[in-house]
Amino acid sequence: MNCNQIHEITPLYLTGELRGEPLQEFNGHIAECRACADNVDSDRQLDDALRSALGDEMPDASAVVARVRQQMDGDMRSRHVPWRLSHLGWAKAGFAFAAALVLAIATFGLLSGYWHEKAMALAAADDHFSDLVLNRHSDWLVKPADMAAFLQQQFPQHAGLLPLITPERASLEKVRLCRLKQATYAHLVFKTGEVETSVFLIDNPRRSPDYQAAHLRSVEHDLEVSGFSASDLSGIVVGQRGVVPTTRIARQLGEKLSL
Amino acid sequence: MGTGECGTLLAHELSMREDRTFEFESVAFPHAAGLLRYALHLAGEPARAEDLVQETLLAAWRSFHQFERGTNCRAWLFRILKNLHICQIRRNPARAEISLEIDDSGLSAPEKVTAGHEVREAFSHLTPEHREVLQLATLDGFAIGEIAAILEIPAGTVASRLNRARQALRSRLQKRATAGEKNT
Ligand SMILES: [Zn+2]
């Protein structure tokens, strides 16, 4: 290891994460090299100074904890409420989301026949939140070759699918399989800058969910959901409200896939 | 984690909840103060920081049945907090421009000249990115890999950012020391 390499891995040394051979090499180098030894010492002293200057300043979180406890109790008490509503996962947004969906459905005059679509939209939003905000899953495929193989495997009859399902100015970030209401969907996450858009894609099963580009939204949690159906694929687009134009994306994907 | 967990936040046995409540409180609440300190760094205003911690703990609680026992709860909570903060910033970009100057008004005159104060002051002048990695690594004691997961950036980026952050902090302190010598 040369001095530059030592410099690069000094942070790992300081957090105690260097082990085995790299650690031996590191120790060997700083035993011989005065400059690097001084740098490591200086970093360590700096960290100590920082800890003693700021480390004791632990803010008092008891008020927050009390508020959280109260809300948790509220959650527990409200469990006689139909569970789909009371356990929606993300706080007050649950009711608002359900209310917004009901409103959207009423607005679109879709009073019957879209129960399934609503449930799927809810499940998709739930999964998007769980995956991208809470980061609950670690089984994502992220390498381009792996993602291409995944698409090929999941949608064998759709060669060249990726460009057709990629929203404008976005690129595929990661993919995994997920289950939404007993149906297996490919969950594709696209990135445009820092903004993530989920596309849930499924081969049209026999009982095809015929998604309309109806725009459903979660008022408080700021998620919106739009569906699309093409001849033999259906999909759901989820993104942050006002940031990701899900309706436009869903319409465009539906059109591209129908060509 | 299997695909079966996906989208099933809702389908969960109620009877399990009391046990899980106790478990959640014992694994999550001890991190509340650390979360609040991180939230103060991100959000600036105490009221917003407290809301952020509250939102984080509730989000974690409501999806706690998905949490795998034995995995790093503290890093998971910090990551949720960071993500919720990013969501808020996207919703309201004006919030990103928050002054993070340390408020010295509560300190008496003698304390202001201590070395600790100089370090705090120098730290407060670092860029938000530099403060963030230093706080997570040095004050919160997270490993590089954990910081990479919280911030969703590669571990190599965390390491080089830490190097630059320490360098920036050092040169600020040195500049101050030199200026101090000149004044005396
Ligand atoms: Zn050296």
Side-chain angles (χ1 to χ4, degrees):
Chain A
M1 266 188 229
N2 62 33
C3 296
N4 273 337
Q5 289 165 322
I6 291 295
H7 177 67
E8 276 168 22
I9 60 169
T10 297
L12 287 160
Y13 178 77
L14 291 171
T15 50
E17 289 171 87
L18 271 194
R19 301 219 171 83
E21 207 176 313
L23 178 61
Q24 277 173 8
E25 280 191 52
F26 191 95
N27 282 329
H29 184 101
I30 58 173
E32 301 284 321
C33 173
R34 185 64 196 268
C36 283
D38 284 351
N39 286 339
V40 172
D41 269 351
S42 158
D43 277 358
R44 215 191 321 246
Q45 282 166 16
L46 196 67
D47 278 9
D48 287 344
L50 202 54
R51 267 190 290 266
S52 57
L54 293 165
D56 296 335
E57 291 181 351
M58 223 21 151
D60 178 9
S62 54
V64 186
V65 168
R67 287 210 301 266
V68 172
R69 243 195 205 108
Q70 217 170 24
Q71 272 181 291
M72 285 168 63
D73 284 349
D75 268 20
M76 303 287 280
R77 271 199 304 280
S78 67
R79 67 188 177 181
H80 60 275
V81 177
W83 57 271
R84 278 170 196 281
L85 293 181
S86 66
H87 292 265
L88 255 177
W90 51 95
K92 43 207 173 168
F95 287 104
F97 192 34
L101 284 168
V102 171
L103 185 70
I105 288 164
T107 309
F108 285 100
L110 310 172
L111 282 165
S112 62
Y114 283 95
W115 193 253
H116 178 69
E117 183 178 346
K118 173 196 156 184
M120 295 307 297
L122 267 173
D126 195 357
D127 193 56
H128 173 91
F129 186 75
S130 165
D131 280 345
L132 302 181
V133 180
L134 305 180
N135 282 302
R136 291 312 301 138
H137 300 110
S138 50
D139 55 349
W140 293 98
L141 298 176
V142 293
K143 291 188 192 141
D146 293 347
M147 297 195 289
F150 171 91
L151 288 175
Q152 175 65 34
Q153 194 190 354
Q154 296 305 319
F155 306 100
Q157 69 282 42
H158 294 92
L161 180 61
L162 184 57
L164 296 177
I165 48 153
T166 303
E168 280 177 340
R169 288 189 302 279
S171 60
L172 186 59
E173 184 195 9
K174 52 188 181 182
V175 298
R176 69 186 287 276
L177 272 189
C178 81
R179 285 184 74 74
L180 303 178
K181 303 274 150 206
Q182 277 84 50
T184 301
Y185 278 73
H187 182 181
L188 296 90
V189 179
F190 293 95
K191 223 168 181 178
T192 310
E194 283 293 293
V195 177
E196 286 169 319
T197 302
S198 282
V199 175
F200 295 86
L201 203 61
I202 192 169
D203 253 320
N204 266 345
R206 224 162 292 136
R207 281 172 53 243
S208 152
D210 186 19
Y211 296 123
Q212 306 294 306
H215 177 97
L216 312 174
R217 68 188 217 192
S218 147
V219 177
E220 286 197 40
H221 208 75
D222 276 0
L223 285 179
E224 57 173 57
V225 187
S226 299
F228 63 89
S229 286
S231 46
D232 50 3
L233 287 171
S234 288
I236 307 170
V237 182
V238 185
Q240 210 175 344
R241 182 167 68 88
V243 177
V244 177
T246 61
T247 318
R248 204 179 71 213
I249 294 172
R251 200 186 57 234
Q252 286 173 346
L253 296 185
E255 284 168 4
K256 277 204 276 181
L257 288 167
S258 299
L259 287 177
Chain B
M1 192 174 290
T3 53
E5 297 254 3
C6 208
T8 55
L9 268 180
L10 321 173
H12 203 57
E13 286 295 320
L14 293 176
S15 58
M16 283 172 65
R17 299 190 81 224
E18 274 88 1
D19 292 346
R20 290 296 264 171
T21 304
F22 179 75
E23 189 184 347
F24 177 77
E25 291 187 355
S26 53
V27 300
F29 284 0
H31 306 304
L35 286 167
L36 184 54
R37 185 166 67 179
Y38 185 43
L40 280 165
H41 157 74
L42 293 174
E45 303 158 36
R48 277 204 52 231
E50 289 199 353
D51 287 349
L52 199 52
V53 173
Q54 185 175 350
E55 221 183 307
T56 299
L57 287 170
L58 283 170
W61 153 243
R62 285 167 176 148
S63 59
F64 190 52
H65 59 277
Q66 294 186 335
F67 177 74
E68 291 166 82
R69 284 188 181 89
T71 58
N72 189 331
C73 180
R74 192 165 70 110
W76 179 54
L77 291 169
F78 272 67
R79 197 163 55 205
I80 294 175
L81 190 141
K82 173 77 181 180
N83 279 329
L84 289 172
H85 173 70
I86 292 174
C87 287
Q88 288 181 358
I89 293 294
R90 280 189 203 139
R91 220 179 296 157
N92 187 356
R95 282 179 167 176
E97 297 156 24
I98 284 164
S99 159
L100 287 145
E101 298 291 309
I102 285 177
D103 179 12
D104 285 340
S105 50
L107 293 176
S108 61
E111 281 172 296
K112 282 195 179 183
V113 295
T114 60
H117 175 261
E118 278 166 23
V119 175
R120 278 199 291 275
E121 214 246 9
F123 181 75
S124 76
H125 282 94
L126 298 180
T127 65
E129 280 85 13
H130 286 172
R131 275 199 310 269
E132 182 170 48
V133 285
L134 275 178
Q135 172 160 350
L136 292 171
T138 307
L139 302 178
D140 295 311
F142 280 113
I144 307 283
E146 292 173 326
I147 300 172
I150 292 167
L151 304 181
E152 295 184 69
I153 56 177
T157 308
V158 176
S160 57
R161 195 177 287 177
L162 265 171
N163 267 332
R164 284 197 302 274
R166 289 195 175 105
Q167 193 47 52
L169 182 61
R170 194 164 19 239
S171 61
R172 269 220 157 256
L173 286 167
Q174 275 160 1
K175 239 182 259 168
R176 245 193 101 99
T178 324
E181 276 162 25
K182 276 185 194 150
N183 288 341
T184 49

